[in-house]
């Protein structure tokens, strides 16, 4: 049985493997998992479907009202939606609109695993264990390319690389909750690891936190 309030924060840049690790940690410790990137992607998709302007904070805020039925939409995975998500997620009003449900999830009595960009810094600053997952940009681009190709989306590796670099810069450079490694986070570079090796190392790092 997991500790009743075990909360694990997993942050990192796009396609670093944080979602795979977060899902694996949730399975290992028997905890519920929230992929917070899906919330921002759903806002982006809602905006796209309705024809709202991503340059308008007001339009992006309106798009937040209409995301419940988009959470399992296959189009969420596209790099186009990811790119718009990284633009609308820079708006403070959008971050505030999505804050409470993430805090509630992180505060659940049964504990939780959340992955995103600002989990260890803003959403769950008191998390039991914080991991900052990263990987070399070329490796991340290869992984995302393989993922999207397997899903049947026609994409070019060079375009993915350009998109990921732009998204990294936007996510790290914004004023509102930028992508930032928390002071007390543990770094996990998965560049040369298989998914199974990365999960084993993540469990080892969480255990070191639980032991202290
Ligand atoms: N260590 C790894 N080695 C190779 N591929 C990986 C590894 N970790 C994840 N992947 C694959 O890379 C893609 C992106 O991983 P994901 O966990 O979704 O990243 P993120 O949540 O950081 O965007 C997925 O297709 C996943 O299966
Ligand atoms: N906690 C979070 C999660 C995602 N995001 C934004 O949402 C975008 C999509 O997030 P994601 O986690 O689905 O992206 P990937 O890492 O899976 O490519 C990111 O580029 C961020 O701009 C955020 O700002 N804060």
């Amino acid at each position: 049985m997991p500790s009743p309030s075990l909360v694990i924060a997993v942050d990192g840049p796009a396609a670093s493997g944080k979602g795979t690790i977060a899902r694996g940690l949730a399975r290992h410790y028997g905890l519920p998992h929230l992929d917070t990137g899906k919330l921002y992607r759903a806002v982006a998709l809602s905006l796209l479907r309705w024809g709202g302007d991503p340059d308008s904070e007001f339009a992006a805020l309106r798009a937040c009202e209409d995301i419940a039925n988009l959470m399992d939409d296959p189009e969420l995975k596209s790099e186009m939606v990811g790119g718009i998500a990284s633009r609308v997620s820079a708006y403070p009003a959008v971050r505030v609109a999505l804050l409470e449900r993430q805090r509630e999830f992180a505060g659940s009595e049964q504990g939780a695993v959340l992955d995103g960009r600002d989990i260890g810094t803003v959403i769950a600053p008191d998390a039991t264990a914080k991991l900052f997952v990263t990987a070399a940009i070329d490796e991340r681009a290869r992984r995302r390319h393989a993922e999207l190709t397997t899903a049947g989306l026609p994409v070019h590796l060079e375009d993915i690389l350009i998109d990921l670099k732009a998204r990294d810069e936007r996510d790290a450079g914004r004023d509102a909750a930028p992508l930032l490694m928390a002071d007390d986070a543990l770094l996990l570079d998965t560049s040369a690891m298989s998914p199974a090796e990365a999960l084993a190392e993540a469990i080892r790092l969480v255990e070191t936190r639980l032991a202290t």
Side-chain angles (χ1 to χ4, degrees):
M1 280 294 286
S3 147
S5 58
L6 175 57
V7 176
I8 306 176
V10 184
D11 288 303
S16 55
K18 62 188 177 303
T20 303
I21 287 174
R23 281 192 301 276
L25 287 171
R27 259 195 321 273
H28 181 80
Y29 289 106
L31 297 170
H33 165 234
L34 181 64
D35 170 359
T36 65
K38 267 173 95 173
L39 298 171
Y40 293 94
R41 283 174 181 263
V43 173
L45 186 56
S46 152
L47 196 66
L48 266 176
R49 295 251 167 102
W50 149 59
D53 179 3
D55 287 329
S56 158
E57 182 165 4
F58 181 73
L61 180 60
R62 213 184 114 185
C64 293
E65 290 166 19
D66 203 15
I67 61 172
N69 58 344
L70 296 175
M71 298 310 293
D72 293 317
D73 196 297
E75 216 185 322
L76 282 188
K77 281 186 191 301
S78 79
E79 244 335 277
M80 209 246 282
V81 168
I84 294 176
S86 97
R87 287 166 65 190
V88 298
S89 68
Y91 296 132
V94 168
R95 304 204 73 85
V96 168
L98 301 180
L99 183 76
E100 207 41 52
R101 76 188 76 183
Q102 297 176 76
R103 284 251 169 93
E104 244 174 54
F105 195 93
S108 146
E109 254 181 43
Q110 51 182 326
V113 182
L114 295 91
D115 73 276
R117 300 292 186 292
D118 62 340
I119 309 303
T121 50
V122 175
I123 303 298
D126 298 327
T128 326
K130 301 179 186 178
L131 303 182
F132 192 85
V133 178
T134 187
I137 181 85
D138 289 346
E139 175 61 18
R140 290 195 276 129
R142 267 194 297 276
R143 289 177 187 175
R144 183 54 38 95
H145 180 258
E147 180 182 7
L148 295 177
T149 306
T150 304
L153 297 168
V155 283
H156 295 290
L157 184 59
E158 305 75 43
D159 295 336
I160 298 276
L161 189 59
I162 292 166
D163 285 350
L164 291 191
K165 279 183 181 161
R167 209 134 67 82
D168 281 357
E169 271 177 37
R170 254 199 310 268
D171 291 352
R174 68 188 177 210
D175 292 331
L179 169 66
L180 192 69
M181 182 166 155
D183 288 342
D184 52 351
L186 299 163
L187 183 65
L188 173 46
D189 186 335
T190 69
S191 304
M193 294 178 185
S194 69
E197 287 168 340
L199 176 59
E201 181 58 9
I203 292 170
R204 194 187 69 74
L205 292 173
V206 170
E207 291 297 321
T208 63
R209 274 291 184 260
L210 291 174
T212 55

